[in-house]
Amino acid sequence: MIQVKFRRISPDATVPTKAHASDSGFDLTAVSEPFVGEDGYLQYHTGIALELPEGYEGQIRPRSSISKYDLVLANGGPGTIDESYRGEIIVRFKPVDRFAQGPFVSGLFPTVSTQNIDKLRVYHKGDRIAQLVIVPVPRVELIEVENLSETARGTGGFGSSGT
């Protein structure tokens, strides 16, 4: 078992917890109502900072409850917390328009402001908003070569294994 140090930056911060001992992720709780960043993303403070051990990263993943809200993780998830980062974990979401019509409509709101945020189903202060999963990251050295070994797949990419 590894130990990960954390610090409460806010007096309202909730200790990240697992619902069950065998769960992969620790629930992160919002210590703020959502606020709209300059880029239109909704952001939540967690009031928590980490000190990850060498060779590990933190991954921010959506909770299964995300399907009840008009939100997706801003970067498509998971978000990465590098071992050297010591700042507060802030979770960012992109709002989704549940009323978008058509089979291939992205449904992403072009902008969110304090004027239209009340039309969205969003998390609120005190809600569990995301999961934190701590995973090992192997140390890798990339080595440039002239040729790569041959495989049956070769350079077959998108859809090369069939539909």
Side-chain angles (χ1 to χ4, degrees):
M1 177 181 294
I2 65 163
Q3 293 184 334
V4 175
K5 296 176 184 176
F6 74 94
R7 183 170 78 92
R8 293 187 215 206
I9 294 173
S10 165
D12 295 333
T14 301
V15 175
T17 58
K18 293 182 176 187
H20 307 281
S22 61
D23 288 351
S24 299
F26 293 86
D27 288 329
L28 294 173
T29 302
V31 297
S32 68
E33 287 297 318
F35 62 96
V36 181
E38 293 176 16
D39 51 11
Y41 290 98
L42 292 182
Q43 302 178 112
Y44 294 85
H45 287 281
T46 65
I48 297 291
L50 299 175
E51 183 177 326
L52 294 166
E54 184 176 329
Y56 286 83
E57 72 167 337
Q59 295 181 355
I60 303 300
R61 299 182 184 178
R63 298 184 70 246
S64 61
S65 67
I66 191 85
S67 62
K68 299 176 184 177
Y69 298 92
D70 297 330
L71 302 169
V72 295
L73 278 179
N75 63 348
T80 297
I81 302 171
D82 291 312
E83 70 181 52
S84 60
Y85 179 67
R86 296 294 185 269
E88 180 183 15
I89 298 171
I90 297 175
V91 183
R92 294 170 41 108
F93 294 94
K94 185 72 176 169
V96 177
D97 183 356
R98 69 183 175 279
F99 300 112
Q101 301 294 314
F104 297 105
V105 176
S106 71
L108 294 179
F109 276 102
T111 57
V112 174
S113 67
T114 53
Q115 287 77 33
N116 66 3
I117 194 172
D118 61 333
K119 294 177 176 62
L120 299 172
R121 294 178 299 183
V122 298
Y123 293 112
H124 294 283
K125 182 178 179 178
D127 290 344
R128 293 173 295 157
I129 59 171
Q131 295 182 74
L132 168 67
V133 178
I134 309 294
V135 294
V137 177
R139 298 295 183 218
V140 175
E141 177 185 6
L142 293 177
I143 300 171
E144 185 176 7
V145 297
E146 291 293 322
N147 297 299
L148 302 175
S149 63
E150 297 288 328
T151 67
R153 181 177 181 168
T155 58
F158 303 104
S160 65
S161 62
T163 55

